[in-house]
Amino acid sequence: AKDPIAKFIPEVPGEPGKNIYGEEVPYPVQTLPVYTAGKNVISHEKGFFAGKSGRLSIDSKGVISIEDVLLLKKGVDFNTGNIAFPGDVILQGKIADGFRVYSGGSIISSEVLDVTTEVVCKKDMSVQAGIEGKKVGALRIGGNLTAKYIQNCRVAVRGDILVSGSIIQSTVYTMGMIKMGDTGKLVGCECIVIGGVQALDIGSPRGAKTYLRCGTDFIVQQELDRANEQLKHIAVNLMKAEEMIKDEPSDKIRAYIQSLIEKRSEITAKIPTFLPRIDTNDQAYVEVRGSIYPGVEIEICHVPYTVPKIMKQVVFRLDKTRGAIVNEPYKK
C-alpha cells in the first residue's frame, strides 16, 4: 500500500523546424498510451499510488488496478480447506489430495501443481514447475497456461498453452495454440486445439497413441459429445422400457416411453446446430521441429491423417482444394 505506481510526465510543446530551403517542417508528435486509475489505485497530482497491498494489473485499455491476492505459503490442505477466492492466488506449497482451488483471477504456483480433483482460474495460470493430475484431476483456465510439463491431467484452456518440457498421457483442450519449447515432446495425448500445435517431437516409437484434432472448437465438440452420450442412454432406457411394457402394460411405463421419445427428438433436432460451429479454423497446422512417429493421428477440420512412418522437421496443413492433409518441410 502507498507504493508509487506511475508518475505523470508533462507534455513537451513542439517547435517547427526548417529544411535547407528555409521551408517550415512540422514537428513530429509522439503518441503515448493513456493510462487511468482503476480499482484500489489513488490518483494524485504526482502520479498513481497503490491504495492497498496487492498485485499490479494493467488491462488492454490501460486501466491500472491493484488486485486482491491470496498468498498460500503452505499450500492447500486441512488447515485451509477448499479455496474459493475472487482475486489472484499465489501458491507456495502443494495442493493436498482431494482439495479444490477456485480463483476469480490468476493462479501462480512455485511448486509442482498436484491436481487431484479440480483447479479453476478465470485468468492466467503460471506454474514454475509442472502439473500432475494423477489421471483423475481436471484443470480449467480462462486465460493462458504456462508450465514446465503436464502429466496425467485433463486440461481445458481458453487461451494458449505454453509448455517448455513435455505433455504426457493427458487430455488437452484449448481455444488457442499449444506452443512447446526447444525440448517439447507430446506423447500419448488427446488434444483438441483451435489454433495448432508447435512441438519438437510428437508421439513415440513404443508408446500410447497420440491424437491431435486441430481447427476444432472444443466447447462445441463437448456439447456434441454430451448430446451423443445422452442419445445412447435414451436408446438403452427405451429398449428396457419397451421390453417391460410387453410383460406389464401400464400407463406409467407408456408415459415414460413417450418422455424418452420426446427427449430423443429434442436432442436429435439440436445436433445439426452444432456441426457448423465445430470447425472454426481451416488455417490450423501441426509443426514438428524434430520427429513425429508412426501411428500419430492428425485431424484438421475433421479431415483425418495417420502418420505412416517417422518424419522429421515437417509441417502438416489442410489443403482445402484436395480435401486432404498435406505436409511440407519445416522452416525456422
Side-chain angles (χ1 to χ4, degrees), residues 220 224 270-279:
V220 180
L224 179 61
K270 192 185 294 184
I271 284 177
T273 66
F274 296 140
L275 300 177
R277 297 186 289 125
I278 289 180
D279 296 329

Side-chain angles (χ1 to χ4, degrees), residues 14-125:
E15 294 183 4
K18 289 185 179 181
N19 61 20
I20 59 172
Y21 301 106
E23 298 168 340
E24 189 174 279
V25 178
Y27 54 82
V29 177
Q30 185 179 7
T31 303
L32 297 174
V34 177
Y35 297 101
T36 56
K39 183 179 66 175
N40 299 323
V41 173
I42 299 169
S43 181
H44 186 268
E45 61 181 8
K46 293 184 178 179
F48 294 155
F49 295 83
K52 65 183 300 183
S53 297
R55 184 167 177 265
L56 180 66
S57 171
I58 305 175
D59 68 14
S60 58
K61 295 180 180 178
V63 179
I64 301 175
S65 305
I66 299 295
E67 297 179 353
D68 295 327
V69 175
L70 175 63
L71 176 60
L72 298 166
K73 291 186 176 181
K74 295 183 179 180
V76 179
D77 53 22
F78 287 100
N79 293 315
T80 63
N82 293 322
I83 299 296
F85 188 71
D88 294 342
V89 174
I90 299 177
L91 278 167
Q92 293 182 348
K94 294 193 174 184
I95 302 175
D97 287 357
F99 287 90
R100 292 180 170 86
V101 176
Y102 171 87
S103 166
S106 300
I107 293 179
I108 300 170
S109 175
S110 58
E111 300 278 340
V112 172
L113 189 69
D114 290 321
V115 187
T116 57
T117 50
E118 187 177 50
V119 177
V120 179
C121 73
K122 284 195 169 182
K123 295 184 180 178
D124 297 338
M125 175 178 284

